[in-house]
Amino acid sequence: MARRERYVVGLDVGTSKVAAIVGEIMDDGGLDIIGIGLAESKGIRRGVVNNVDSAAESIKRAIDEAELTAGVQIDNVHLALSGAHVKAFNSRGVVAVAGRNREIGREDVKRAIEAARAVALPGGREILHVLPQDFVVDDLDGIDVPVGMTGSRLEVNVHVVTGSSSSMQNMIACVNRAGVEVVETVLEQLAASEAVLTPDEKELGVALVDIGGGTTDFAVFERGSLWHTGVIAVGGDHFTNDIAVGLRMPIPDAEKLKRRSGSALSSLVGEDETMEVASMAGRRARAMPRRVLSEILQPRAEEICHLFWDEIRRAGYEKSLNSGIVLTGGGAMLDGMCEIAEQIFDLPVRRGAPEGVGGLADHVNNPAFGTSVGLVVYSHRNVQTEPVRVGTVGRLTGRLRTLFKEFF
């Protein structure tokens, strides 16, 4: 029998792929990745379920792969939520300190947070997270932990993340239909930040930009807290569709060509470089200059960057990103994305991959696993999970090579 909270499982259900990651909490408190499951995503578009049966089948395939590679029977998961239905805002709560001698206790903090979340929501929406940013005790602001301080008035600033009730319930229903329960739901950007951002970046100010298949989700951190989140309805699949239309080729072949030869910045491609391009209806493949592909991809990359920057300026955080910008998600793997982002933003830009885990770390050292590994790290740090039963299946890490050939 596994000891309580020894295993945590993260499930990232995206537009392009479903990833299930199994983490084992070691005796020394470290976290090892022991299982990985990948499946092509069907029935999901931009974070919303449009076919329950297809989505459930994709989730089940990823869960089965994760069980096989980890040798662990999975009963429950921590689920990432994203998509245009997720919306967030900042709120403030104020309470009078109730304790004797005006000493602030945990109950005062809890009451202040409850006051901050007591906002009227539109019908059909529910709160996903209430994330404290900082506290104010009387006239003293910028306090991280007010417990034990003395004052008569306690204020808290929080970031409230909400989602569509029906969209969230439909996603959870798909997971349940796949044979597992959802322990908790976590905002995708929050999960990814746990695996790809450093504490110093969060403290100084940084933007995390997660380029997924259907959407690009972003988050702004400053002074160690989350201050702004948003979603752009453009992602990696738009690159693929542009290639398919521009070069008149099937979408699956366009995806392969993007990964093999794509560059988001045409100046990085030599004029004499060529590539082989598949044709429609079984016609013979064609040879083309590789720069033609870059000239198709670059406008879309520029669009994502400009849309993101418009959102940042509208929210007033353009001068807060002292640590720059971190790109993660499958779309961040496109050659030239960091370079074109640096040109547009005039800020340091790096590609973020999961760090701080052991075990199969080499297999998940990839921006595409930022969210799924981040879910495991987030769950480990917050210790909000039930035990996963250990099965009798042996670990088959060699199986990973087959999985990765299909997706990366």
Side-chain angles (χ1 to χ4, degrees):
M1 183 70 177
R3 67 178 176 84
R4 182 175 175 82
E5 296 162 358
R6 182 176 179 185
Y7 299 97
V8 287
V9 183
L11 180 66
D12 178 21
V13 184
T15 301
S16 301
K17 75 175 191 314
V18 179
I21 300 291
V22 183
E24 180 179 7
I25 300 174
M26 310 308 290
D27 292 338
D28 61 1
L31 183 65
D32 278 4
I33 303 302
I34 64 168
I36 304 170
L38 294 172
E40 182 184 357
S41 182
K42 296 182 178 179
I44 305 289
R45 182 173 175 80
R46 296 180 181 176
V48 176
V49 177
N50 58 26
N51 187 313
V52 172
D53 290 335
S54 297
E57 181 59 31
S58 295
I59 293 168
K60 189 175 189 310
R61 284 200 299 271
I63 293 291
D64 288 346
E65 293 282 7
E67 288 183 332
L68 187 64
T69 57
V72 170
Q73 181 177 332
I74 298 172
D75 291 333
N76 48 54
V77 298
H78 299 258
L79 175 67
L81 284 182
S82 65
H85 73 93
V86 178
K87 300 185 184 301
F89 57 90
N90 293 330
S91 179
R92 171 173 285 204
V94 183
V95 296
V97 178
R100 289 184 179 181
N101 303 321
R102 306 274 177 119
E103 183 176 319
I104 298 170
R106 295 185 183 277
E107 280 301 314
D108 296 307
V109 173
K110 185 177 179 181
R111 286 190 301 113
I113 293 173
E114 287 299 319
R117 70 178 289 160
V119 293
L121 294 178
R125 299 197 68 79
E126 60 183 84
I127 292 177
L128 179 60
H129 294 291
V130 179
L131 304 168
Q133 296 164 327
D134 62 9
F135 294 86
V136 180
V137 177
D138 292 343
D139 295 325
L140 186 62
D141 60 7
I143 296 170
D144 294 331
V145 182
V147 175
M149 298 182 68
T150 301
S152 59
R153 173 188 171 96
L154 177 65
E155 300 178 45
V156 61
N157 294 306
V158 301
H159 190 65
V160 182
V161 182
T162 71
S164 162
S165 300
S166 58
S167 295
M168 293 164 65
Q169 289 165 7
N170 287 336
M171 184 67 77
I172 292 171
C174 292
V175 178
N176 292 340
R177 189 171 291 197
V180 292
E181 295 182 353
V182 176
V183 176
E184 67 174 333
T185 52
V186 182
L187 178 67
E188 180 177 287
Q189 299 98 302
L190 184 61
S193 73
E194 294 287 324
V196 305
L197 297 182
T198 68
D200 284 343
E201 285 175 330
K202 290 183 180 180
E203 188 67 31
L204 291 173
V206 66
L208 175 70
V209 181
D210 188 339
I211 308 173
T215 61
T216 296
D217 305 329
F218 63 90
V220 175
F221 292 83
E222 191 178 15
R223 303 195 301 276
S225 300
L226 180 58
W227 288 86
H228 183 64
T229 51
V231 180
I232 299 166
V234 183
D237 288 352
H238 292 79
F239 287 109
T240 304
N241 291 336
D242 290 346
I243 297 170
V245 172
L247 299 181
R248 297 187 297 279
M249 61 190 302
I251 287 180
D253 291 321
E255 178 69 20
K256 293 175 184 176
L257 183 65
K258 178 183 73 175
R259 295 178 178 180
R260 184 177 68 245
S261 303
S263 175
L265 188 59
S266 58
S267 62
L268 297 177
V269 180
E271 293 184 4
D272 57 343
E273 293 186 56
T274 61
M275 61 185 182
E276 190 174 88
V277 178
S279 298
M280 300 289 286
R283 297 188 183 93
R284 292 176 59 182
R286 302 156 287 163
M288 279 190 177
R290 187 177 166 220
R291 183 162 283 191
V292 171
L293 178 59
S294 292
E295 289 170 351
I296 292 173
L297 294 172
Q298 183 166 335
R300 186 66 78 175
E302 291 173 345
E303 179 191 20
I304 290 177
C305 291
H306 286 302
L307 287 172
F308 160 72
W309 198 241
D310 287 345
E311 290 284 340
I312 292 296
R313 286 190 298 189
R314 193 176 297 121
Y317 290 100
E318 69 272 21
K319 297 187 183 302
S320 300
L321 309 181
N322 298 308
S323 294
I325 294 167
V326 177
L327 303 182
T328 191
M333 296 160 56
L334 180 63
D335 185 47
M337 276 302 298
C338 288
E339 289 81 358
I340 197 167
E342 283 187 337
Q343 288 185 10
I344 291 173
F345 304 137
D346 194 25
L347 286 169
V349 179
R350 72 173 178 89
R351 191 175 281 112
E355 297 180 354
V357 294
L360 302 175
D362 289 346
H363 292 281
V364 295
N365 185 25
N366 184 309
F369 287 108
T371 296
S372 50
V373 174
L375 281 167
V376 175
V377 177
Y378 176 90
S379 305
H380 171 38
R381 289 177 180 170
N382 289 274
V383 196
Q384 296 176 5
T385 182
E386 294 298 323
V388 178
R389 293 199 303 271
V390 177
T392 57
V393 185
R395 296 183 186 173
L396 301 175
T397 54
R399 173 88 172 121
L400 297 173
R401 293 194 185 92
T402 307
L403 295 176
F404 277 70
K405 282 181 182 177
E406 184 176 354
F407 289 94
F408 304 111

